[in-house]
Amino acid sequence: MRLQFRSFAGGSLYRSFSPNAVRRFAAVLCLTATTLSVAAFGQSRETLGEGDSIRITVFQNPDLTTETRISEQGTITFPLVGEISLAGLTPAGAEARIAERLIKGKFVLKPQVSLNVVRVRSRQVSVLGQVARPGRYPLDDTSANLTDILALAGGVSPAGDDNVTVMVARNGKTAKLEINVPTMYRTGDLSRNLQLENGDTIFVQRAPVFYIYGEVQRAGSYRLEQAMTVMQALSLGGGVTPRGTDRGLKIRRKGPDGTFQAVDARLTDPVHADDVIYVRESLF
């Protein structure tokens, strides 16, 4: 059988190809498809692990399509070939191993295997502290940085601090990083938007607070904002009552040794974490 192509550019033209030429052309197409498949998955930074859900297809063999989860032993059961160990392989490496087993068993002559990760369970990070939904979250190639995982956890709660603590393990060493998330967006510098890896932990501690009591409208504890002054702190408490005065303000402040000392305060003075501001009653 000979293959013919017909062209209408400048008239009718027929070209004839021998069966050998057709087979060579088909082989080139297969090789190109295989190369593209490897290139597409070769960019994956991570390997497969236990708990990952995957979907495997073999071109022109729909009966071999399999959606399964990698077991605790790092294996799956695939039609015809049985149990295959995939843990520790990249998606491209897993495709090659499955194809090798199909060829070895003479089930498929030239298999074109495609593997897609449906759900990641083997690569996870922990999110703790003042977030909407603390827990463990999976990493993948599209959501692996700090802000992505915080978004999955529902974001930092109103009581959470701007500075996020990230515990990372790299090259056998553990490091503690402090990252101010709002500052990244205010400055436009996302170089601190850390790429996370399996086993990392994000901890959002409670934001620092200060306290107001005495002759104010709403005594209590309030979140300490950056560069806050005594006047701004009093405004959060609703201001001074008609019986109070903003003169002679006192702050009880914790010293380096952990003890509290009373200091005189002016309206323009900065407020520190755990400060206790006292508004006294007016004498006149």
Side-chain angles (χ1 to χ4, degrees), residues 16-59:
S16 179
F17 295 87
S18 67
N20 287 337
V22 173
R23 283 194 291 269
R24 288 196 296 270
F25 180 72
V28 170
L29 287 179
C30 291
L31 178 61
T32 302
T34 304
T35 303
L36 289 174
S37 177
V38 171
F41 288 100
Q43 300 301 319
S44 177
R45 298 186 303 272
E46 302 288 352
T47 58
L48 301 173
E50 61 182 61
D52 290 347
S53 295
I54 56 177
R55 178 179 174 84
I56 304 167
T57 58
V58 181
F59 182 62

Side-chain angles (χ1 to χ4, degrees), residues 102-143:
L102 288 172
I103 294 172
K104 186 177 180 180
K106 298 181 180 180
F107 302 116
V108 182
L109 183 60
K110 294 181 179 179
Q112 297 178 45
V113 180
S114 176
L115 185 148
N116 295 309
V117 180
V118 178
R119 181 174 297 177
V120 179
R121 289 297 182 193
S122 62
R123 304 186 302 277
Q124 295 184 330
V125 295
S126 299
V127 186
L128 308 173
Q130 301 299 315
V131 293
R133 297 185 295 274
R136 291 180 61 82
Y137 290 89
L139 294 173
D140 57 39
D141 288 342
T142 59
S143 59

Side-chain angles (χ1 to χ4, degrees), residues 67-276:
E67 188 164 326
T68 186
R69 187 175 66 88
I70 299 177
S71 70
E72 294 180 356
Q73 290 73 36
T75 62
I76 66 165
T77 300
F78 193 71
L80 300 179
V81 301
E83 192 173 57
I84 308 176
S85 178
L86 299 183
L89 299 177
T90 63
E95 291 171 352
R97 178 166 292 182
I98 295 170
E100 179 186 6
R101 292 286 295 272
L102 288 172
I103 294 172
K104 186 177 180 180
K106 298 181 180 180
F107 302 116
V108 182
L109 183 60
K110 294 181 179 179
Q112 297 178 45
V113 180
S114 176
L115 185 148
N116 295 309
V117 180
V118 178
R119 181 174 297 177
V120 179
R121 289 297 182 193
S122 62
R123 304 186 302 277
Q124 295 184 330
V125 295
S126 299
V127 186
L128 308 173
Q130 301 299 315
V131 293
R133 297 185 295 274
R136 291 180 61 82
Y137 290 89
L139 294 173
D140 57 39
D141 288 342
T142 59
S143 59
N145 58 37
L146 174 61
T147 53
D148 287 336
I149 299 302
L150 286 176
L152 289 176
V156 178
S157 69
D161 194 8
D162 291 342
N163 286 304
V164 175
T165 302
V166 184
M167 300 295 296
V168 301
R170 302 290 186 273
N171 301 320
K173 297 181 179 179
T174 303
K176 177 182 177 182
L177 305 176
E178 297 287 342
I179 300 174
N180 191 297
V181 176
T183 297
M184 285 197 303
Y185 288 98
R186 282 197 298 266
T187 62
D189 180 13
L190 299 181
S191 61
R192 299 277 287 170
N193 196 12
L194 184 67
Q195 289 290 320
L196 301 174
E197 295 183 7
N198 182 41
D200 290 350
T201 301
I202 301 170
F203 177 70
V204 182
Q205 63 185 348
R206 185 175 294 276
V209 297
F210 65 92
Y211 306 87
I212 310 175
Y213 77 106
E215 294 299 329
V216 288
Q217 300 288 351
R218 297 187 298 273
S221 64
Y222 294 90
R223 179 190 175 105
L224 177 64
E225 302 295 341
Q226 189 174 8
M228 177 174 281
T229 64
V230 172
M231 182 182 294
Q232 292 169 330
L234 291 177
S235 70
L236 287 179
V240 178
T241 66
R243 297 178 52 186
T245 177
D246 58 12
R247 290 177 294 181
L249 295 171
K250 293 287 187 181
I251 294 180
R252 287 178 57 83
R253 179 168 293 161
K254 183 182 293 186
D257 59 355
T259 61
F260 284 87
Q261 55 185 350
V263 296
D264 296 326
R266 295 173 298 179
L267 293 176
T268 56
D269 286 347
V271 181
H272 297 178
D274 297 324
D275 276 358
V276 182

